[in-house]
Amino acid sequence: MAKTNKERFLELVSDTPSNVMEDIKWRRENRPWLKRSRGIAIHVIQVLGNRGWTQKEFAERMGVSPQQVSKWLKGQENFRLETISKMEAVLEVELIEVKSFKSGESSTSEPEANSVD
C-alpha cells in the first residue's frame, strides 16, 4: 500500500528540536561585527579577483589552509586584529580604517575600507 503524504512527511521530520530561534537571536546580538566581517570578506574577494589570485594562493601566502580562507570569506568570522593586519600586508590594501584619536581624522582616505571607531 502506498504511503500517505502525512506518513512521508513524518519520515522526514527530525526528532531533534530546532535551534532556529537561538540562531536568530545570536545573529541579532552579533549583527554589528557580522556586518563588518561580511564587508572585509567582500573586500578580500574583490582584491583576489582583481589580482587573479585563487583562494588557495591566498592561503599559501597567508600560511593557512584553504579551508581557513574559505571560512573567512563566508563573512561570518570574528577576525582578530592580528589576522586582519596580516591580510592587509599580504594583499597590500587596508581592510579597516582606524580614526586618529587626536585629530579625529582618519588614517586613510580609501573609501572601501571599513571604519572602526
Side-chain angles (χ1 to χ4, degrees), residues 67-112:
Q67 292 83 1
Q68 182 64 45
V69 169
S70 177
K71 183 179 171 185
W72 291 340
L73 300 183
K74 288 180 182 175
Q76 297 184 343
E77 181 72 11
N78 192 356
F79 291 105
R80 294 174 43 182
L81 290 173
E82 178 182 8
T83 303
I84 293 171
S85 295
K86 187 169 182 181
M87 292 169 104
E88 289 177 329
V90 167
L91 296 171
E92 298 177 334
V93 297
E94 191 160 353
L95 297 172
I96 61 172
E97 178 181 286
V98 179
K99 299 198 182 221
S100 171
F101 179 74
K102 267 187 166 181
S103 66
E105 295 179 16
S106 65
S107 61
T108 182
S109 60
E110 287 187 37
E112 295 95 0

Side-chain angles (χ1 to χ4, degrees), residues 28-42:
R28 282 185 180 155
E29 290 171 352
N30 294 286
R31 185 174 284 152
W33 72 260
L34 284 167
K35 183 178 178 181
R36 290 180 189 261
S37 180
R38 283 190 301 271
I40 290 169
I42 289 167

Side-chain angles (χ1 to χ4, degrees), residues 6-61:
K6 180 179 178 181
E7 290 170 328
R8 284 188 288 236
F9 173 77
L10 290 174
E11 287 177 358
L12 297 172
V13 176
S14 172
D15 292 332
T16 307
S18 173
N19 294 327
V20 170
M21 294 309 292
E22 290 175 25
D23 293 344
I24 291 170
K25 181 181 176 188
W26 182 86
R27 283 194 304 272
R28 282 185 180 155
E29 290 171 352
N30 294 286
R31 185 174 284 152
W33 72 260
L34 284 167
K35 183 178 178 181
R36 290 180 189 261
S37 180
R38 283 190 301 271
I40 290 169
I42 289 167
H43 194 156
V44 170
I45 290 167
Q46 289 172 338
V47 171
L48 294 179
N50 291 342
R51 299 208 175 148
W53 292 3
T54 64
Q55 289 183 24
K56 184 178 179 183
E57 288 172 304
F58 181 51
E60 290 169 357
R61 293 170 192 251

